[in-house]
Amino acid sequence: MMLRIMSVEFLKLRRKLVWLLVLLGPLGVVALQAVNFGLRYDYLTKQYADDLWGGLIDNVSMLMLPTLFIGLTILASMTAGIDHQMNTWKQTLALPVNRASIFAGKFAVTAILLLCSSTLLVPFTLLLGFLLDFGFEELPLADLAMTVYYPFLAIMPFIALQVWLSVAMHNQALPLTVGIIGMIAGMFASQFPDWMPWKWPSLINDRDMPLYSVGAGLTLGLIVMLLGMCQFVRKDVR
């Protein structure tokens, strides 16, 4: 059932250039770092002389976090907004599936699109490192994977929230505003206490355990998704 719903959702998005957005996010992050290292190559390579790959990954990570926030906001708005724009909610709800599955399908499609975008960051970062002549020895693949996928898992509450808001509201201005505020808050998250969700994607906490942030994100993400699903099931969507 879920596969059928998701295939329908992807068909709706086929003319929305959503895959271009998925590509542009990680490409933009790496391109900006290419400019950064290109202009300050001597300084940065001296600064990160003991761990060139680690320095590159840290710099990519700093730009990746705000990109994740704004990316999930736009993707959620596009995924849910198409039904508002084309007034296709009646047709969607007329499918022989329950409303909870439809909401879960919206969430799954948004999460998959963001996952694809995050995954592209891995080869793009590796390519940049090779072009910068960082070498093939001791490639930090595990660190790069953690840097890319842990924040994706920790940011689940915001994916669920943005899907909920985008589905519930015909006017997408408020969901987009909430997403932009979340992006700004995420940029200063290191100053927040550990219990604040905006801090979790940065993987910084007093326990010095990235998995704490991941676990907290997955748990709250499930709760927010279930709350949104319950509201969607009861709401009279037109």
Side-chain angles (χ1 to χ4, degrees):
M1 180 183 294
M2 279 298 298
L3 290 177
R4 180 183 177 186
I5 293 173
M6 290 168 60
S7 65
V8 171
E9 293 298 327
F10 279 118
L11 283 174
K12 292 178 183 178
L13 293 169
R14 69 187 185 278
R15 296 181 180 177
K16 293 296 181 178
L17 298 178
V18 66
W19 293 109
L20 179 60
L21 177 63
V22 167
L23 173 65
L24 288 179
L27 187 61
V29 169
V30 173
L32 287 173
Q33 285 306 325
V35 173
N36 180 33
F37 274 81
L39 294 176
R40 304 193 297 162
Y41 185 82
D42 292 336
Y43 170 77
L44 291 174
T45 52
K46 182 178 180 180
Q47 181 179 359
Y48 301 120
D50 294 334
D51 187 6
L52 293 174
W53 280 104
L56 174 60
I57 292 173
D58 286 345
N59 278 270
V60 167
S61 176
M62 286 189 295
L63 289 179
M64 182 191 70
L65 292 178
T67 304
L68 274 177
F69 274 103
I70 197 62
L72 70 88
T73 299
I74 297 174
L75 290 172
S77 181
M78 292 178 68
T79 302
I82 189 170
D83 287 297
H84 295 302
Q85 295 170 6
M86 301 179 65
N87 294 319
T88 57
W89 276 117
K90 290 184 178 180
Q91 294 91 321
T92 300
L93 297 176
L95 295 172
V97 292
N98 58 57
R99 288 190 172 198
S101 297
I102 292 174
F103 185 91
K106 297 279 188 186
F107 173 84
V109 167
T110 303
I112 289 172
L113 290 171
L114 192 66
L115 176 61
C116 291
S117 187
S118 298
T119 299
L120 287 174
L121 197 59
V122 175
F124 289 168
T125 301
L126 291 175
L127 177 60
L128 176 58
F130 296 149
L131 292 176
L132 292 172
D133 197 26
F134 286 175
F136 293 87
E137 298 81 10
E138 299 181 0
L139 283 177
L141 294 178
D143 291 342
L144 180 56
M146 183 182 74
T147 300
V148 169
Y149 293 115
Y150 277 14
F152 165 76
L153 296 173
I155 211 168
M156 283 294 162
F158 298 98
I159 299 178
L161 176 63
Q162 290 300 143
V163 170
W164 183 0
L165 293 175
S166 298
V167 167
M169 300 180 181
H170 185 277
N171 188 336
Q172 295 297 296
L174 181 58
L176 289 172
T177 301
V178 171
I180 293 171
I181 293 173
M183 179 192 70
I184 296 172
M187 295 172 65
F188 300 96
S190 60
Q191 305 174 29
F192 295 170
D194 287 354
W195 57 266
M196 295 194 71
W198 289 273
K199 188 176 183 179
W200 299 341
S202 69
L203 308 179
I204 299 172
N205 54 70
D206 293 339
R207 298 170 176 81
D208 196 24
M209 294 175 57
L211 285 176
Y212 165 81
S213 301
V214 172
L218 289 173
T219 301
L220 183 59
L222 178 60
I223 293 172
V224 175
M225 188 191 73
L226 291 176
L227 289 173
M229 186 182 296
C230 291
Q231 191 269 346
F232 179 72
V233 168
R234 298 179 180 181
K235 181 178 176 62
D236 181 19
V237 182
R238 300 180 182 276

